[in-house]
Amino acid sequence: WDNRWDYPDIEKKDYAKCFERKIKPQLTELLTKYGEISLIWFDTPKTINKEQSAELRALVKKYQPNCVINTRIGNGYEDYTSFGDNEFSLIKSEKPWEMVATMSDTWGFRKGDKRWRTPKEIKKILGKIVSRGGHYLLNVGPDETGALPEESIEIMDELAAWMEQNQEAILGAKSNPYPNEYVTAGERCVYLHLHQMPESGVIALGDVTEKVSSVNVLGSGRELDFTKDGEQLVIKLVEVDGNDTVPVIKVCFKEELHEHTKRVIPVQGALSLSPCDGTASGNIAFRVSGAVDDGWKDTTGAITYELIAPVTGKYHLSMVSGLLDWKGEYCKGNRLMVTVNGKDYEFVLNDDHLLDSYLRAYYVGFGREMGDVELQEGKNTLTLRVIEFATGNEVGMPLMSLMIERK
């Protein structure tokens, strides 16, 4: 229906005719001539109406009652959620969801497409998805002969080797009981996915009220030394192989885990906060995934976070902004006001604050430095506002995450 190469004249298209004469007969053929089908993955155009979505669902369930259906059937008739291309959820969800993603910039084969994700990036994304209760639908685009590009084979080979060693942190793992990225859970244990080795040689997890029985490196089983300072679990990484492109640390507990809701800054490392981790006020609109995208365009908007700091002192703020088609970069020049316990701090998002950009075809995130704030030990209230949008900024403040780290 969206083929504009062969059928460029949109005005002459009749979707109702296409629906009755092409879509329904082809769907019926798929459902009746290929045995049991577990899943139908629709990529339905936005022009479909509610009655047509309902008709497609009824057709699927008539011939394949156990078949599940994704979000893109339209109008709320799905069994599970598929977010936008290369978009992952920033929040945990009880409803099943998936991230449908590319390995490079395209879905199909394109000779000039050389911007491949690294295996480490894919492992990082996989851990983040599972930590929020989701699934990873990773695309591979064969060439004109049906062969898979060598780059994709190399990526999958390395991912398979990593999964062989770390599969219990992924397969059957549960979402993270802590409000922290890159942590998955098992029975009486959690798995910390390390995407970079900290210079300090230690990592920490806050709000750990359960009693810890052991800490080891998944795969090798090497035991790691740890200490418990109040509710802060501090782990020494001296026995962890820094050459491993995402080692996983398994933390075992003496008791059942419960859901943790406090936003506790670790004594080592950063706390990552999605927009939905705070309380929004004013004119801010959220996507289903929890991202703001272009939903924050005026200065009435604000997001307030309740945080717990381990000690009084300076903490560093940075953020990731992201939006469709690289537009996340357009927030540069925005003037921000961060208020911590009644004290104001002003920051400007300029080019010289650009931390990094990472490839996410269609959706691209930009990491940006902000600056330092003072926090007190214990409870803190932090509010983020935009006090002036940059000239020519049409996307507003596309916030994906706010990071805070002890200096």
Side-chain angles (χ1 to χ4, degrees), residues 18 23 68 125 150 160 169 173 192 244 263 266 292 363 370 382 398:
C18 175
I23 295 174
V68 295
I125 294 168
E150 189 62 34
L192 313 183
D244 189 328
R263 300 324 191 220
V292 172
Y363 284 86
M370 293 171 63
L382 183 152

Side-chain angles (χ1 to χ4, degrees), residues 92-109:
K92 289 195 292 186
S93 173
E94 294 301 320
K95 185 175 182 179
W97 67 273
E98 72 181 1
M99 173 182 173
V100 51
T102 58
M103 286 191 181
S104 60
D105 271 357
T106 58
W107 294 101
F109 176 79

Side-chain angles (χ1 to χ4, degrees), residues 317 319 336-347 370 372-373 381-387 402:
L317 296 179
M319 70 162 57
L336 309 181
M337 181 68 74
V338 175
T339 303
V340 180
N341 304 327
K343 183 178 180 179
D344 292 334
Y345 301 83
E346 186 174 326
F347 307 110
M370 293 171 63
D372 298 339
V373 297
T381 300
L382 183 152
T383 300
L384 175 65
R385 299 180 179 85
V386 182
I387 55 176
L402 178 69

Side-chain angles (χ1 to χ4, degrees), residues 70-139:
N70 72 322
T71 310
R72 299 189 192 187
I73 191 173
N75 299 297
Y77 284 94
E78 73 277 359
D79 295 314
Y80 74 96
T81 301
S82 295
F83 290 114
D85 295 352
N86 289 284
E87 180 184 19
F88 52 77
S89 178
L90 299 180
I91 54 177
K92 289 195 292 186
S93 173
E94 294 301 320
K95 185 175 182 179
W97 67 273
E98 72 181 1
M99 173 182 173
V100 51
T102 58
M103 286 191 181
S104 60
D105 271 357
T106 58
W107 294 101
F109 176 79
R110 192 176 73 192
K111 188 175 182 180
D113 183 11
K114 298 298 181 183
R115 296 205 306 172
W116 293 88
R117 296 185 193 271
T118 66
K120 182 175 181 178
E121 286 176 312
I122 290 179
K123 296 171 194 174
K124 179 178 180 179
I125 294 168
L126 176 60
K128 179 180 284 191
I129 291 169
V130 176
S131 77
R132 295 180 175 121
H135 301 268
Y136 198 2
L137 181 57
L138 186 60
N139 176 75

Side-chain angles (χ1 to χ4, degrees), residues 349-406:
L349 298 179
N350 286 329
D351 279 342
D352 59 340
H353 294 140
L354 184 63
L355 280 172
D356 189 20
S357 65
Y358 52 91
L359 172 65
R360 292 173 63 207
Y362 303 106
Y363 284 86
V364 179
F366 288 83
R368 297 184 181 277
E369 296 279 8
M370 293 171 63
D372 298 339
V373 297
E374 292 277 348
L375 297 184
Q376 64 187 19
E377 181 178 350
K379 295 181 179 180
N380 296 266
T381 300
L382 183 152
T383 300
L384 175 65
R385 299 180 179 85
V386 182
I387 55 176
E388 184 181 355
F389 290 95
T391 303
N393 181 351
E394 298 179 356
V395 300
M397 184 64 253
L399 179 67
M400 291 178 64
S401 60
L402 178 69
M403 277 83 72
I404 182 165
E405 182 174 11
R406 180 186 174 194

Side-chain angles (χ1 to χ4, degrees), residues 44-74:
T44 311
K46 295 179 181 180
T47 49
I48 193 169
N49 61 40
K50 189 170 184 178
E51 290 73 23
Q52 290 166 334
S53 294
E55 195 170 348
L56 289 183
R57 181 178 177 85
L59 190 61
V60 172
K61 297 301 181 179
K62 174 183 177 181
Y63 295 112
Q64 300 280 349
N66 296 321
C67 182
V68 295
I69 301 167
N70 72 322
T71 310
R72 299 189 192 187
I73 191 173

